[in-house]
Amino acid sequence: VQADGTDGNCVTFVLHDEDHTLGNSLRYMVMKNPDVEFCGYCITHPSESKINFRIQTRGALPAVEPFRKGLTDLLGVCQHVLNTFE
C-alpha cells in the first residue's frame, strides 16, 4: 500500500501472517541502509496477524528497494545461522 501524496519514497507495506519476530528483525536490517530516513512497524491489534511496515527514504530512492534489500540481507543472516548451527 503506497502512502498518499508521495512519489514512492514513503510506503507502508502490509505483511500478513507475521508478528514481531519478522517485524523487528526486518526493521533492523532496513535501518542499516544510510538512504533510509525512517523505518518502523506496528501491529494494529493483538488478534490480527499482520504488520504495517513503513519505510521512508531520503531523496529519489523508492522505498521498495531497501525493503527488498532488507529481506535479502535477513535471509542471508538466517542462512548463515542455520549453517553454523548444523
Side-chain angles (χ1 to χ4, degrees), residues 1 4 6 10 13 15 17 33 46 63 65 69 75 85:
V1 178
D4 291 334
T6 64
C10 184
F13 302 93
L15 308 175
D17 298 323
N33 187 334
E65 295 303 319
K69 182 175 181 342
L75 184 64
F85 179 74

Side-chain angles (χ1 to χ4, degrees), residues 52-83:
N52 291 334
F53 196 87
R54 185 174 180 88
I55 299 175
Q56 182 175 344
T57 61
R58 294 179 172 88
L61 180 70
V64 71
E65 295 303 319
F67 182 68
R68 285 185 183 140
K69 182 175 181 342
L71 286 170
T72 303
D73 293 348
L74 185 58
L75 184 64
V77 168
C78 291
Q79 191 62 46
H80 173 72
V81 170
L82 182 62
N83 292 340

Side-chain angles (χ1 to χ4, degrees), residues 10-67:
C10 184
V11 177
T12 300
F13 302 93
V14 179
L15 308 175
H16 295 276
D17 298 323
E18 296 298 340
D19 58 11
H20 292 287
T21 304
L22 178 66
N24 198 32
S25 302
L26 184 56
R27 182 197 58 81
Y28 174 77
M29 297 305 281
V30 170
M31 282 303 296
K32 290 172 63 173
N33 187 334
D35 293 326
V36 174
E37 185 173 14
F38 173 80
C39 180
Y41 74 96
C42 70
I43 297 178
T44 56
H45 192 274
S47 67
E48 293 182 11
S49 60
K50 70 177 183 178
I51 293 175
N52 291 334
F53 196 87
R54 185 174 180 88
I55 299 175
Q56 182 175 344
T57 61
R58 294 179 172 88
L61 180 70
V64 71
E65 295 303 319
F67 182 68

